[in-house]
């Protein structure tokens, strides 16, 4: 990469004005910044997934026998199907008479190896028995509550994978009956199957339970986020689950880190990445939790929180998780308008769904704040000094500006949790670092045109207001002296929607003079909050264990009410 800066000046080269020189410099800085973040992304990964040979560790003679069978199945899956059926049937009979931990582990391990062989052999047994040698037969089916076409997905056992990474340090298991599986979509674009899918690939955790009638084996694939217990041989067992491996595999496949800075620096290029998606099959009986990330971030940032919350049975029973991801270089009022549009699509696709709880981190908290606000024309008048009807704009500019400046609260939002949210702005956004960062963000062409048109009509800012020469970007809209920030804080939140704040103090215990390294206490604090929790954390408050415990407390409170 050639990063040499040519000494272009208007004196030495009259073809180039100072503004062209500045644009060239900013372009070079954007390239340098992108290169740096890609380099850093390779040094520390959110999730790494490695395939391993699983081991059974019961401390009995079954351990060695199962290892031999597992290795045989790896090399010859088709030829191992019948021996695995015999072994799994024997383990099921043993578990029926002795409900010991060793017997349960042996059964689960045998089921897992049987599922591996079915997968590796390419055996399609969905919905109908497949005859095998020695009079054996095998079939697989989904729980009747699951309505997807199983042929669109592949199933792999979770214990085949070793995971590591900064976002999956803790592996959340639920001990019980069955072999945890990871379901992954076969298509290259899962949104063609489901418009609210996570993205190109979907990874989801299920659990396999094998039952026998004579020499016929039926493998039932259960959803551990839907079912807590299963019946097996006349006994009740908790259903086993691995809630972390599917999240890790999703992160490893998507590699979201490399896009986080790029979506800040060039939001127009990545505008198609804005989406509202769900992490599990829609359930009309569960409350949606909608997570909104912050500046230079992605939906990946919520993995530690979701991983921990799914370990709690009450949360699993009452909630389903969604996320909103967007190019964070957009001014956040525009991102909020995109979220409203997507929430309208959810309401159309799932009419009558339960009201959502929003969790917004950093700039995601500002977006969430606009979901529980009725702006009227206050923001418009603060910008143009006159009503919308009196403001002469092109249809394109009017449509974009009205969606960003005139809005009503969402009736489908019932509670909001603000996490490290700079609701009054962040001083860093207005100092030299913030101003340099603002110049690095490449404004979308459509917004540049709208900004040029709007700037001619805007009323002069009050003394001390942030002075910008074009349409504001996300960094600009984080500055405390930004025109929008000052105006929105004169508009009260809609009454009747409870909200909470979680704030970091970096462990210094110096509130109300605290700071999480980016957002000061005075900016995150909100009068009227149902609760305020200060945790010993930097700006990544939403990944702090105490903050996660506080989110869990609030969600349980909300569900019970």
């Amino acid at each position: 990469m050639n990063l040499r800066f040519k000494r272009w000046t208007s004196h030495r080269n009259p073809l180039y004005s100072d503004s062209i020189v500045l644009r060239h410099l900013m372009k070079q800085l954007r390239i340098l910044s992108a290169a740096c973040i890609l380099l850093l992304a390779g040094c520390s990964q959110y999730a790494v997934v490695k395939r391993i040979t699983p081991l059974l560790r019961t401390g009995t003679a079954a351990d060695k026998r199962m290892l031999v069978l597992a290795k045989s199945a790896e090399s010859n899956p088709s030829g191992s199907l019948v021996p695995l059926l015999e072994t799994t049937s024997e383990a099921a009979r043993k578990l029926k008479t002795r409900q010991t931990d060793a017997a349960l582990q042996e059964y689960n391990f045998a089921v897992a190896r049987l599922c591996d062989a079915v997968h590796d052999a390419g055996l399609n047994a969905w919905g109908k028995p497949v005859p095998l040698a020695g009079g054996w037969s095998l079939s697989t089916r989904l729980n009747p509550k699951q309505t997807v076409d199983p042929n669109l997905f592949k199933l792999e056992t979770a214990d085949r994978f070793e995971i590591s990474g900064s976002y999956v340090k803790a592996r959340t298991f639920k001990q019980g009956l069955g072999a945890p599986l990871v379901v992954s979509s076969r298509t290259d674009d899962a949104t063609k199957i489901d418009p609210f899918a996570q993205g190109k690939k979907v990874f989801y955790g299920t659990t396999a339970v094998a039952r026998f009638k004579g020499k016929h084996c039926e493998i039932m694939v259960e959803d551990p986020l839907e079912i807590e217990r299963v019946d097996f041989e006349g006994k009740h067992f908790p259903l086993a689950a691995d809630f972390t491996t599917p999240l890790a595999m999703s992160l490893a496949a998507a590699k979201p880190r490399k896009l986080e800075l790029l979506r800040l620096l060039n939001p127009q290029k990545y505008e198609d990445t804005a989406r509202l998606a769900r992490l599990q099959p829609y359930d009309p009986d569960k409350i949606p939790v909608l997570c909104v990330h912050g500046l230079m971030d992605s939906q990946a940032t919520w993995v530690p929180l979701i991983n921990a919350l799914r370990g709690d049975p009450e949360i699993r029973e009452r909630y389903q998780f969604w996320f909103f991801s967007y190019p964070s270089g957009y001014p956040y009022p525009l991102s909020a308008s995109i979220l409203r549009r997507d929430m309208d699509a959810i309401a159309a696709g799932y009419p009558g769904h339960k009201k959502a709880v929003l969790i917004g981190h950093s700039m995601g908290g500002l977006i969430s704040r606009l979901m529980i606000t009725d702006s009227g024309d206050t923001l418009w008048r603060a910008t143009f000094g006159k009503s919308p009807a009196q403001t002469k704009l092109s249809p394109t500019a009017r449509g974009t500006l009205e969606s960003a400046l005139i809005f009503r609260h969402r009736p489908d939002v019932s509670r909001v949790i603000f996490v490290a949210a700079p609701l009054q702005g962040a001083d860093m956004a207005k100092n030299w670092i913030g101003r340099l960062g603002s110049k690095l963000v490449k404004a979308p062409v459509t917004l540049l045109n709208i900004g040029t048109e709007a700037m001619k009509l805007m009323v002069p800012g009050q003394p001390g207001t942030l002075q910008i020469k074009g349409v504001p970007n996300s960094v600009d809209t984080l500055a405390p002296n930004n025109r929008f920030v000052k105006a929105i804080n004169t508009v009260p939140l809609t009454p009747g929607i409870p909200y909470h704040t979680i704030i970091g103090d970096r462990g210094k215990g110096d509130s109300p003079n605290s700071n999480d390294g980016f957002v000061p206490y005075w900016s995150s604090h909100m009068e009227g909050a149902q609760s305020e929790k200060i945790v010993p954390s930097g700006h990544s408050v939403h990944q702090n264990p105490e903050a996660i415990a506080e989110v869990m407390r609030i969600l349980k409170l909300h569900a019970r009410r």
Side-chain angles (χ1 to χ4, degrees), residues 65 84-95 106 212:
R65 185 177 72 252
L84 282 169
L85 284 168
E86 293 172 344
T87 300
T88 308
S89 178
E90 178 185 348
R93 288 194 298 271
K94 186 184 298 185
L95 182 59
E106 185 177 339
F212 291 85

Side-chain angles (χ1 to χ4, degrees), residues 237-300:
F237 288 87
L239 181 66
D242 180 339
F243 298 109
T244 310
T245 300
L247 294 173
M249 293 180 70
S250 180
L251 287 179
K255 297 180 175 62
R257 185 167 189 172
K258 67 181 181 181
L259 289 176
E260 290 171 352
L261 180 64
L262 298 177
R263 296 202 305 171
L264 166 67
L265 297 179
N266 194 349
Q268 182 175 8
K269 182 176 180 180
Y270 300 97
E271 62 183 354
D272 61 339
T273 66
R275 59 184 291 97
L276 183 57
R278 51 186 173 80
L279 293 176
Q280 61 198 86
Y282 172 73
D283 189 331
D285 296 324
K286 292 185 179 182
I287 301 166
V289 176
L290 174 54
C291 302
V292 187
H293 67 74
L295 186 73
M296 205 176 75
D297 219 333
S298 69
Q299 66 273 22

Side-chain angles (χ1 to χ4, degrees), residues 41 82 88 115 129 157 175 188 240 284 300 344 374 381-382 409 439 471 551:
V82 170
T88 308
C115 290
T157 53
Q175 299 298 329
D188 291 332
D344 286 342
D374 293 298
R381 288 182 178 275
H409 77 278
K439 292 182 183 300
V471 63
V551 171

Side-chain angles (χ1 to χ4, degrees), residues 379 424 462-466 479-491:
L379 303 176
Q424 307 289 333
Q462 298 294 324
T465 300
L466 181 69
N481 58 342
N482 175 271
R483 183 195 301 257
F484 182 89
V485 174
K486 296 174 73 173
I488 191 62
N489 282 299
T490 67
V491 181

